[in-house]
Amino acid sequence: MTSKAVIAIHGGAGTIVRASMAPDAEARYHAELRAVLAAAQRVLADGGSALDAVTQAVRLLEDCPLFNAGHGAVFTSAGTHELDASIMDGRTLQAGAVSCVKRVRNPIVAARHVLEYSEHVMFTADGAEAFAQAQGLEFVDPSYFHTDARYRQWQLAREQQRAMLDHDGATLAAQTPAAQARDDALPHEPIDPNRKFGTVGAVAVDLYGHVAAATSTGGITNKQLGRVGDAPLIGAGCYADDATCAVSTTGSGEMFMRMVAAYDVAAQMAYRGVSLEEAANDVVMNRLPRIDGRGGLIAVDAQGNVVLPFNTEGMYRGYARVGEAPVTAIYR
Ligand code: ASP
């Protein structure tokens, strides 16, 4: 037994709207992050696996409308939702992922089932839904994923004719005079929702020194149908290996894919022999910015070290060691 057990989570990275830092919105994010950390911490304290802890954390983040995953996911250019998720077990290097699912309530649970019960690693679209259905997973009407805040973000993005990162969209919507005049204006969020990547993720080390990672997202606002980002790609948005680390990313997915960002952290540790901190910082602060990659990641190693670097102004994040109070943060 070790006391290195720890869970870390993120809820997206982006630009902080200094003018609109409303204390109650900030408090709400902290409270949600703390609640998720506490639940996952209990899984670890009870002797549960890192894999179970990250599944639990991401499932709760998917159910929370504040984050761009599951309920609260961003809209595609067609006004629909296409969800991506992935999970990896550092003990066995088993992995599971789904992309472009539209009716599975918790994409991370579908990814977990792919890991556990399929000889394959990833299912997409109709095939992913057929697999989830055969596994008896919970399905919802697509309207379940609708939230008014994301809908307004999407309308703004359409007006601007571009695809928007989730947390890049919310603030923009909140800031228009028309929106501010309305009662239903987006709450002023600490991180500019119009300049934020709202993907969620979790990494953990369990009491037995095994690591796991999970990532889930709605992608980016106004994305083209069928667009798949880094989140469901093992190696880009998610990676775990007991020998090195577990990583979950958030940011401009195309750049994280091109950098194979999550795996690069593990590879640098393995091949360059550097620490978790040095490897993660190199990817986020040096390598991604070379191709204009914006965002961050969370990572743990089997020794219980935790890093949460990001190259944006803020990232919703937190960690909780077993037996200690959860720590949450938004800004630098
Ligand atoms: N990385 C995600 C994607 O490109 C976006 C995010 O992090 O919010 O789909």
Side-chain angles (χ1 to χ4, degrees):
M1 288 281 211
T2 134
S3 56
K4 295 162 189 161
V6 61
I7 172 85
I9 59 174
H10 69 76
T15 306
I16 298 170
V17 196
R18 295 184 194 283
S20 67
M21 281 186 214
D24 47 334
E26 227 177 287
R28 200 170 153 213
Y29 275 95
H30 281 291
E32 291 290 348
L33 292 170
R34 265 199 307 273
V36 171
L37 286 168
Q41 198 181 28
R42 274 196 299 279
V43 173
L44 295 173
D46 290 347
S49 66
L51 195 62
D52 282 345
V54 298
T55 306
Q56 169 76 339
V58 170
R59 194 179 61 74
L60 293 172
L61 289 163
E62 285 177 342
D63 286 347
C64 175
L66 291 181
F67 305 105
N68 168 24
H71 179 58
V74 298
F75 284 78
T76 67
S77 59
T80 56
H81 303 276
E82 294 186 344
L83 312 176
D84 303 332
S86 62
I87 188 164
M88 187 161 183
D89 185 356
R91 186 173 67 84
T92 59
L93 299 190
Q94 284 181 299
V98 294
S99 62
C100 283
V101 295
K102 302 183 182 82
R103 293 179 304 134
V104 178
R105 174 176 168 155
N106 289 108
I108 198 63
V109 175
R112 174 71 188 265
H113 276 248
V114 176
L115 181 156
E116 300 267 359
Y117 306 112
S118 167
E119 58 181 320
H120 303 303
V121 169
M122 183 191 259
F123 286 96
T124 192
D126 291 351
E129 299 208 327
F131 174 81
Q133 197 132 41
Q135 291 287 315
L137 303 188
E138 185 176 351
F139 273 59
V140 288
D141 186 86
S143 62
Y144 165 79
F145 299 110
H146 175 106
T147 54
D148 290 345
R150 301 282 183 233
Y151 184 75
R152 286 196 293 277
Q153 242 175 51
W154 172 56
Q155 288 183 316
L156 266 166
R158 284 212 302 178
E159 280 164 25
Q160 302 199 342
Q161 295 286 324
R162 64 183 181 102
M164 230 184 233
L165 297 163
D166 161 49
H167 291 251
D168 284 348
T171 307
L172 188 62
Q175 284 171 338
T176 63
Q180 279 167 351
R182 285 197 308 265
D183 286 349
D184 65 345
L186 289 168
H188 283 182
E189 300 183 32
I191 291 182
D192 182 343
N194 296 302
R195 293 180 206 285
K196 179 197 95 168
F197 310 91
T199 290
V200 305
V203 293
V205 191
D206 60 29
L207 293 172
Y208 317 100
H210 299 302
V211 303
T215 308
S216 180
T217 191
I220 54 177
T221 298
N222 209 31
K223 66 183 181 182
Q224 288 182 44
L225 287 181
R227 177 267 186 190
V228 176
D230 59 326
L233 298 186
I234 298 302
C238 178
Y239 193 73
D241 181 353
D242 279 2
T244 50
C245 60
V247 182
S248 172
T249 69
T250 177
S252 42
E254 280 70 10
M255 286 63 172
F256 282 69
M257 289 155 86
R258 289 159 58 196
M259 280 290 171
V260 200
Y263 180 70
D264 196 44
V265 177
Q268 289 205 33
M269 291 175 74
Y271 304 149
R272 286 213 296 138
V274 298
S275 68
L276 175 72
E277 185 175 12
E278 191 174 337
N281 279 334
D282 183 56
V283 170
V284 175
M285 303 304 184
N286 299 327
R287 294 182 60 77
L288 281 163
R290 275 188 222 154
I291 55 169
D292 214 16
R294 293 189 301 129
L297 59 82
I298 56 173
V300 294
D301 64 19
Q303 286 68 50
N305 293 303
V306 181
V307 293
L308 311 100
F310 51 96
N311 61 31
T312 48
E313 288 174 51
M315 180 166 82
Y316 295 112
R317 65 197 186 279
Y319 66 91
R321 294 187 182 281
V322 166
E324 293 179 19
V327 176
T328 58
I330 299 173
Y331 314 111
R332 272 188 199 291

